Amino acid sequence: MSFPEPHPGLVIRYASPITHTPPERLDDAIEIPTATKQRLGLDTERSWIVISEVNEFVWPGPDLRPLPGRDQSRIVYGVLPPKFFDHVRDRFLARIGRDKDAPVHRTE
């Protein structure tokens, strides 16, 4: 599935929010495994990737920030393990296909 290109000629990326708040509906989010959180250097609280929404932004752009406590040139924590990424992607695409959700356009 692809989204319409709202900014011709610019590189657009999509990101689902991560939250510590448990989802009200189980099909709205996927819990991040503890081992994955540890490997990425995230905190120890339970966290979920929200699959009921996605943010769209220009890459690189003003939404990018250096990671706290790390080299100022680093802007990403790392990548998800391929199997977990595939699971998140598949659940997100199934939900988008079912609910016709659209990306949230980020401009700041």
Side-chain angles (χ1 to χ4, degrees):
M1 170 174 284
S2 63
F3 298 112
E5 187 178 352
H7 312 286
L10 297 176
V11 176
I12 304 298
R13 294 292 179 246
Y14 301 92
S16 291
I18 294 177
T19 182
H20 288 114
T21 305
E24 291 183 21
R25 293 178 37 194
L26 292 178
D27 63 342
D28 282 347
I30 299 171
E31 187 167 6
I32 303 172
T34 302
T36 298
K37 290 192 70 173
Q38 289 173 340
R39 188 180 56 74
L40 295 174
L42 301 175
D43 63 34
T44 58
E45 294 181 56
R46 293 176 73 186
S47 297
W48 289 263
I49 298 173
V50 179
I51 60 168
S52 59
E53 64 183 86
V54 63
N55 294 307
E56 172 188 88
F57 57 96
V58 175
W59 182 276
D63 298 306
L64 304 177
R65 305 282 187 278
L67 298 178
R70 298 195 189 178
D71 178 329
Q72 291 296 296
S73 67
R74 299 261 334 247
I75 56 171
V76 296
Y77 284 91
V79 297
L80 297 177
K83 196 171 189 178
F84 183 61
F85 174 84
D86 290 347
H87 174 66
V88 172
R89 180 201 61 215
D90 293 348
R91 289 263 320 270
F92 171 76
L93 291 174
R95 180 168 177 117
I96 286 286
R98 183 185 73 231
D99 295 346
K100 305 294 188 260
D101 295 339
V104 175
H105 300 283
R106 303 289 300 177
T107 57
E108 66 282 346

